[in-house]
Amino acid sequence: MAGLGVGLIGTGYMGKCHALAWNAVAPVFGDVERPRLAALAEVDQALADRKARELGFARATGDWRSLVVDPAVDVVSIAAPNEVHAEMAVAALRAGKHVWCEKPMAVALADAERMVAAARESGRVAVLGYNYIQNPMVALMRRTLDEGRIGVVNHIRIEMDEDYMADPQAPFTWKSDARSGHGVVDDFGVHPLSLIAALLGRVRRVCGQMAKPYPDRPLAEGWRRPVETADIAAALIELESGASGIIALNRAAWGRKGRIAVQIFGSKGALAYDQERLNELQLYTTDLPKETQGFRTILSGPHHPPYDRFVPAPGHSLGFNDLKVIECRALVGRIRGEATLAIDFEEGLQIERTVDAIALSAREGRWVEVPL
Ligand SMILES: NC(=O)c1ccc[n+]([C@@H]2O[C@H](COP(=O)([O-])OP(=O)(O)OC[C@H]3O[C@@H](n4cnc5c(N)ncnc54)[C@H](O)[C@@H]3O)[C@@H](O)[C@H]2O)c1
């Protein structure tokens, strides 16, 4: 297959991550054609020009609509703020492009449903930016669960915490604007939900809670603006399998930088993992003599594919951006017709339904069933 023509929309934190992944996927994996970095879109031409030079894209535009219809573009990376995902993804799919859209899929369930309909009609590949499920340590968790090494899972607990909004003086950005969604449930909650989808199956019902630690935040001009989204949330969850669980989310958690602490408890053992130590998996099994039982730490290495594609030596560690390269390879594989691990728009819609159910439950103070 000839190298895919890539169009990138948005070049902030995640846009750069996508650009690095598109630059790296061919040399890292060695089994895909080098993509052509065809075009990049930003909010204005000057910024687009500067970013195209930095990130290695051939053309730049201040108008994303011209990018999605560009004949040189086969696949569109959407790394712009949440509120524009739906409009951009639907336009790209209608123009016959494959789509790689950042999470959360959309800010309203109706938009996510429109995105699924557009993907179905187009027959193109449409996947979401759920990079954490691509960690080789998460793949090892999945194998461990599939092999029944910790028995029947009865409880899961996932805490996702960062402190980038912990300071009451942190400026008001699009993340505090209701147009970006409910807040931390869309911003963070979707990541634990993606891990649950990849490892354990569907969430059946939820009981949520959402909180705003600070009522307002400073604007650049020196004014303060009321915060419209929740920075803290939690949900009791029940899985289709019958397992119970808890998700706790906080983007105002001083000291926590990139914590996604996962604990999975089964009838014969337990697994523990934290994204802040993404090269380690902790495994406890009861098949050892009692006096030697205990959590043991497994360090990532070439025997945890595709770690071997990045570095031949064990214990030298993959990083956050590497997970995006793995996700990029999964997307290219899907386009080639391979059954790779990725969360597509159909599965993503189920995550959005769960987010919506958590928000509804928090508003109404009751358990809510997640519709299928
Ligand atoms: N998968 C992950 O781990 C992860 C991590 C962080 C952010 N995200 C997601 O990535 C998306 C972007 O977040 P971010 O942190 O990179 O934001 P950001 O603010 O750093 O970058 C957004 C970029 O989009 C550009 N942009 C805005 N409107 C645009 C438009 N109409 N046309 C073209 N460009 C436009 C902005 O100028 C900016 O450069 C969000 O949806 C966010 O939830 C995902």
Side-chain angles (χ1 to χ4, degrees):
M1 181 196 265
L4 292 163
V6 178
L8 171 67
I9 309 178
T11 62
Y13 170 14
M14 267 301 117
K16 182 166 185 172
C17 191
H18 278 238
L20 292 173
W22 283 117
N23 272 291
V25 68
V28 165
F29 281 90
D31 61 353
V32 296
E33 289 295 322
R34 188 178 284 272
R36 286 177 293 105
L37 305 186
L40 164 159
E42 253 297 344
V43 281
D44 61 52
Q45 189 67 47
L47 181 58
D49 286 338
R50 179 161 67 80
K51 290 294 177 180
R53 275 195 304 279
E54 281 174 23
L55 301 171
F57 281 74
R59 277 203 294 283
T61 173
D63 172 19
W64 66 267
R65 289 179 191 283
S66 68
L67 180 145
V68 299
V69 295
D70 186 334
V73 170
D74 301 308
V75 52
V76 179
S77 269
I78 300 173
N82 306 354
E83 66 180 281
V84 286
H85 289 182
E87 195 184 2
M88 290 174 175
V90 169
L93 289 162
R94 287 196 179 142
K97 315 298 183 187
H98 304 290
V99 170
W100 185 12
C101 180
E102 265 314 315
K103 50 54 61 175
M105 191 169 170
V107 295
L109 206 48
D111 286 337
E113 284 162 354
R114 278 197 305 123
M115 292 164 80
V116 169
R120 278 186 197 153
E121 280 161 26
S122 73
R124 298 296 172 195
V125 171
V127 302
L128 294 156
Y130 285 122
N131 24 283
Y132 299 117
I133 67 168
Q134 301 294 344
N135 187 337
M137 290 290 95
V138 173
L140 179 59
M141 264 198 245
R142 192 164 139 147
R143 280 200 300 283
T144 307
L145 292 169
D146 288 349
E147 288 164 7
R149 297 194 57 204
I150 67 161
V152 178
V153 172
N154 47 51
H155 186 70
I156 59 167
R157 206 176 294 161
I158 308 186
E159 295 161 44
M160 181 161 177
D161 303 309
E162 292 184 23
D163 64 4
Y164 75 95
M165 292 179 80
D167 187 342
Q169 300 310 322
F172 188 102
T173 68
W174 60 264
K175 296 217 172 192
S176 295
D177 188 321
R179 284 176 298 176
S180 73
H182 307 289
V184 74
V185 183
D186 315 69
D187 193 14
F188 282 12
V190 294
H191 282 305
L193 292 173
S194 73
L195 288 162
I196 290 170
L199 294 170
L200 297 156
R202 205 171 80 80
V203 178
R204 184 161 53 195
R205 60 184 198 131
V206 298
C207 184
Q209 181 200 51
M210 300 199 293
K212 284 182 204 169
Y214 311 119
D216 53 31
R217 289 188 181 277
L219 280 172
E221 307 89 80
W223 295 89
R224 296 187 76 85
R225 182 172 158 182
V227 168
E228 295 165 356
T229 57
D231 293 334
I232 300 173
L236 299 175
I237 61 171
E238 194 179 285
L239 301 190
E240 197 123 87
S241 66
S244 65
I246 300 172
I247 297 175
L249 315 162
N250 188 353
R251 59 186 183 186
W254 275 126
R256 299 299 183 196
K257 305 299 176 185
R259 175 177 159 91
I260 308 179
V262 180
Q263 295 185 87
I264 303 177
F265 300 99
S267 53
K268 294 197 301 187
L271 285 163
Y273 163 84
D274 187 346
Q275 177 63 27
E276 284 183 354
R277 307 182 72 86
L278 80 162
N279 288 278
E280 295 176 11
L281 177 63
Q282 305 237 306
L283 173 64
Y284 183 104
T285 54
T286 51
D287 55 2
L288 293 169
K290 271 255 189 273
E291 68 271 22
T292 55
Q293 282 179 17
F295 273 103
R296 53 193 183 82
T297 302
I298 302 161
L299 196 56
S300 66
H303 36 278
H304 302 119
Y307 176 106
D308 54 316
R309 300 288 189 157
F310 292 85
V311 55
H316 283 52
S317 298
L318 300 191
F320 174 81
N321 284 324
D322 297 328
L323 304 188
K324 214 66 184 170
V325 180
I326 303 172
E327 185 172 82
C328 188
R329 175 63 185 81
L331 164 64
V332 174
R334 286 266 175 128
I335 292 171
R336 298 203 310 200
E338 299 163 9
T340 55
L341 173 71
I343 293 192
D344 62 17
F345 279 16
E346 306 269 350
E347 277 183 278
L349 177 59
Q350 203 52 36
I351 291 177
E352 296 302 317
R353 287 185 179 130
T354 312
V355 163
D356 216 54
I358 292 171
L360 174 65
S361 160
R363 276 198 307 276
E364 298 192 351
R366 62 179 177 89
W367 280 88
V368 169
E369 301 284 323
V370 181
L372 187 57

